[in-house]
Amino acid sequence: QAPLVESGGGSVQTGGSLRLSCTASSSTLMRYCMAWFRQAPGKEREGVAVLNGHGGHTNYADSVKGRFTISQDKANNTWYLQMNSLKAEDTATYYCAAGATWCTGGRLPGRAEYEHWGQGTQVTVSS
């Protein structure tokens, strides 16, 4: 069983909303930092949002602050990325990630800090 399984991608018009889900195979994967990354064609994978499993603190990339919200459902080993007011520049493949251990104080851990990754889900925003 894959450690992380994503769902919820799709196509939406500018200004629309989507919610991505990431379900973990074990609750232990939700102990530390749970994150969402995205990668657009020809660009580096970038951190979008992170949720600290201990205290519930969240951090966001400046490009999505006020529009995206990361949350969790511990009972179902799942975390979410609610994306509102979507823009064309949000178009990318989105990945969930788990396993980083330091995501407090406004910090977004880098890609190399995460041990586990989802398979990716495509989000396309068109005008």
Side-chain angles (χ1 to χ4, degrees):
Q1 183 179 0
L4 301 176
V5 178
E6 302 165 11
S7 61
S11 296
V12 65
Q13 292 188 325
T14 303
S17 298
L18 283 173
R19 188 176 79 160
L20 307 181
S21 300
C22 181
T23 300
S25 59
S26 169
S27 60
T28 59
L29 294 175
M30 299 179 68
R31 284 182 181 174
Y32 300 108
C33 307
M34 296 163 275
W36 289 95
F37 282 71
R38 67 185 181 187
Q39 187 167 16
K43 294 189 176 181
E44 294 289 321
R45 191 172 299 187
E46 62 172 351
V48 172
V50 65
L51 173 64
N52 186 322
H54 283 292
H57 302 291
T58 58
N59 298 317
Y60 298 91
D62 288 343
S63 58
V64 305
K65 280 181 181 176
R67 300 188 298 122
F68 290 12
T69 302
I70 187 170
S71 62
Q72 64 179 322
D73 177 355
K74 291 184 177 180
N76 290 299
N77 290 349
T78 299
W79 65 96
Y80 304 97
L81 185 68
Q82 178 67 44
M83 305 184 292
N84 298 329
S85 302
L86 283 161
K87 306 175 182 180
E89 50 263 44
D90 295 318
T91 295
T93 301
Y94 283 72
Y95 299 87
C96 61
T101 58
W102 178 28
C103 52
T104 56
R107 186 174 185 269
L108 278 171
R111 177 180 181 178
E113 298 180 57
Y114 288 91
E115 297 180 54
H116 307 286
W117 291 86
Q119 79 281 8
T121 186
Q122 179 66 36
V123 171
T124 302
V125 185
S126 58
S127 57

